[in-house]
Amino acid sequence: MTTMPPLETARRRDDDDPLADFRDSFSFPTTEDGDQPIYLCGNSLGLQPESTRDIIDRELDKWADMAVDGHFSGEQPWSTFHDPLAEPMAEIVGARPEEVILMNTLTVNLHLMMISFYRPTPERPKVLMERSAFPSDRYAVVSQIEHHGFDPDEALVEVGDGRDETLLDEDELLEAIDRHGDELALVLIGGVQYYTGQSLDLEPIVEAGHDVGAKVGFDLAHAVGNVEIDLHDWDADFAVWCTYKYLNAGPGAIAGCFVHERYAEAFDLPRLAGWWGHEPETRFEMNPEFEPQRGAGGWQLSNAPILSMAPLEASLDLFEQAGMSRLRQKSVELTEYMLDLLDTMPDAPFEVLTPRDPESRGAQLSLRLTESRGRELFESVRDRGVVCDFREPSVIRVAPAPMYNSFEDVWHLCDILRDVVSES
Ligand SMILES: *Cc1c(COP(=O)(O)O)cnc(C)c1O
């Protein structure tokens, strides 16, 4: 087939979509001309739920009206603000509430987790990760290796051929874990790859890591709120994620962290301590000795940044209503629809880099441009009112987020791509 199906077909899909109304709960950006672009960039920054403003206003009012009393009185006192968020957050990552804590930002949490779960010895100094991991993760790992006095040239194991456009071979990854075996202290892997959109099967990675005696942690930045996650049952040691991508909690919002239940009372595990990780019952007795609380909360350092945490309340409420399994189902349908439409384009100057198997992808499709004028094509698409992004050297990332994107959005994207390609 080389013709686009009519727009009507997309509208019919939207009419049948049980989640279609969630779109109305979000603010969409507008251009200077007052047009509404097609927003397909939720993999980078999710849209603002309309209820966010009221929730932030509520906290500003509390601060204005109650000042210091806001810590312990009124509705949702700041000292326990995150408690009601733990359950809906845990639901999204397949964890028990006590295994999840909202704190800091992603890279900070990754460091805190490595302090506890990367304990290199001369016999077992290595960290294994993907060669094309997000740079921040690699910087964090290399600095941890050096912090412990080891040489990254020897202690960092990177799997994959290093070309960004290649998918990670999951068998190769498992073999590498097995091969480095008793020299491996930690396996750190991203759930969904930021560049290719590949979604990895994480449970076998935990199994392989544990089989050789390594700890296994995940960076779920692009996986959380995107694909279904089952951290507790997969038996991961730890995981970290941000909340401003598919979770729509706003720029630089509070991040999440998972520590498996088996460490809930592992108080002898080395950790960096702060007063907010102290047992809450006695925290304000101001004892000089640190007494960590049970569970992931024991890794907290500072009192919670309420204004960066409050937006998550708005977002988690929508996730609770929509449900991850329904969102995921819609997401698969959206990307399948997009792939079908892209397949109607004759001589497209790009190929879909993301795996075709829906099990191996989330909401994002990465289009790898096969010609040198990649950036030009991206800019033409953007000029026609599509918000997506370009990652050097040659990939356009588009991510229909099932929470607020429609089949019609996908149709328009493909229609615009088709126009731009035929004109160039
Ligand atoms: C988005 C992203 C980050 C960003 O880290 P911050 O600490 O939130 O700035 C890190 N790692 C991965 C894999 C990401 O996708």
Side-chain angles (χ1 to χ4, degrees), residues 201-417:
D201 190 4
L202 299 181
E203 192 172 15
I205 299 174
V206 179
E207 218 175 287
H210 286 176
D211 277 352
V212 299
K215 297 284 191 275
V216 180
F218 296 123
D219 182 333
L220 302 177
H222 281 265
V224 69
N226 178 13
V227 295
E228 291 189 85
I229 299 169
D230 232 336
L231 287 172
H232 179 87
D233 285 348
W234 293 343
D235 212 28
D237 294 292
F238 71 87
V240 292
W241 58 92
C242 51
T243 61
Y244 48 78
K245 291 171 180 166
Y246 294 98
L247 288 186
N248 313 316
I254 194 88
C257 186
F258 164 91
V259 180
H260 198 278
E261 192 176 50
R262 66 179 155 277
Y263 305 108
E265 292 189 14
F267 300 133
D268 53 344
L269 212 55
R271 66 178 87 190
L272 295 183
W275 75 316
W276 224 248
H278 193 279
E279 174 55 43
E281 297 281 307
T282 52
R283 178 190 290 146
F284 297 101
E285 291 174 13
M286 302 311 221
N287 292 323
E289 295 302 328
F290 176 61
E291 198 191 310
Q293 61 179 273
R294 268 184 61 87
W299 273 265
Q300 294 170 99
L301 299 179
S302 297
N303 76 96
I306 299 302
L307 296 179
S308 96
M309 194 185 275
L312 191 58
E313 187 184 320
S315 165
L316 291 178
D317 186 39
L318 294 170
F319 271 87
E320 253 185 319
Q321 291 173 41
M324 259 327 288
S325 66
R326 286 202 301 171
L327 285 163
R328 174 64 182 147
Q329 190 189 337
K330 176 177 171 186
S331 175
V332 169
E333 288 171 17
L334 281 170
T335 44
E336 246 157 27
Y337 184 64
M338 178 147 66
L339 287 167
D340 285 347
L341 297 189
L342 293 175
D343 284 344
T344 68
M345 286 180 57
D347 308 320
F350 54 78
E351 61 187 17
V352 178
L353 180 54
T354 313
R356 293 257 162 181
D357 174 7
E359 291 293 306
S360 302
R361 65 165 191 263
Q364 174 189 325
L365 292 184
S366 300
L367 311 181
R368 189 174 78 89
L369 298 145
T370 47
E371 290 171 25
S372 55
R373 53 198 177 85
R375 191 167 252 293
E376 212 179 294
L377 189 78
F378 162 70
E379 279 165 9
S380 310
V381 170
R382 195 188 52 190
D383 291 345
R384 297 286 193 92
V386 178
V387 182
C388 55
D389 68 11
F390 184 74
R391 281 287 175 271
E392 297 290 350
S394 60
V395 158
I396 296 178
R397 304 188 300 175
V398 282
M403 183 70 96
Y404 50 73
N405 282 121
S406 60
F407 289 87
E408 190 170 335
D409 288 336
V410 170
W411 190 92
H412 283 301
L413 164 76
C414 295
D415 188 49
I416 289 167
L417 261 175

Side-chain angles (χ1 to χ4, degrees), residues 43 105-108 133-137 190 192 194 219-222 242 244-245 255:
N43 56 313
T105 42
L106 188 157
T107 308
V108 175
F134 195 86
S136 190
D137 297 27
V192 173
Y194 80 99
D219 182 333
L220 302 177
H222 281 265
C242 51
Y244 48 78
K245 291 171 180 166

Side-chain angles (χ1 to χ4, degrees), residues 51-130:
S51 48
T52 307
R53 196 178 294 274
D54 284 345
I55 289 178
I56 296 210
D57 275 348
R58 185 192 71 199
E59 295 312 315
L60 289 175
D61 287 345
K62 202 192 285 180
W63 177 23
D65 298 341
M66 300 176 73
V68 73
D69 287 341
H71 281 303
F72 297 103
S73 337
E75 255 181 80
Q76 269 174 272
W78 295 321
S79 64
T80 53
F81 193 86
H82 61 268
D83 286 353
L85 304 181
E87 200 166 314
M89 185 68 259
E91 178 72 28
I92 292 173
V93 295
R96 316 243 154 107
E98 204 186 42
E99 292 175 315
V100 164
I101 190 69
L102 295 163
M103 59 180 188
N104 313 310
T105 42
L106 188 157
T107 308
V108 175
N109 289 345
L110 182 55
H111 274 297
L112 294 179
M113 289 295 100
M114 283 196 283
I115 289 288
S116 295
F117 296 104
Y118 173 53
R119 308 297 309 163
T121 61
E123 296 74 38
R124 194 187 271 279
K126 293 183 178 175
V127 185
L128 182 143
M129 67 193 303
E130 322 133 72

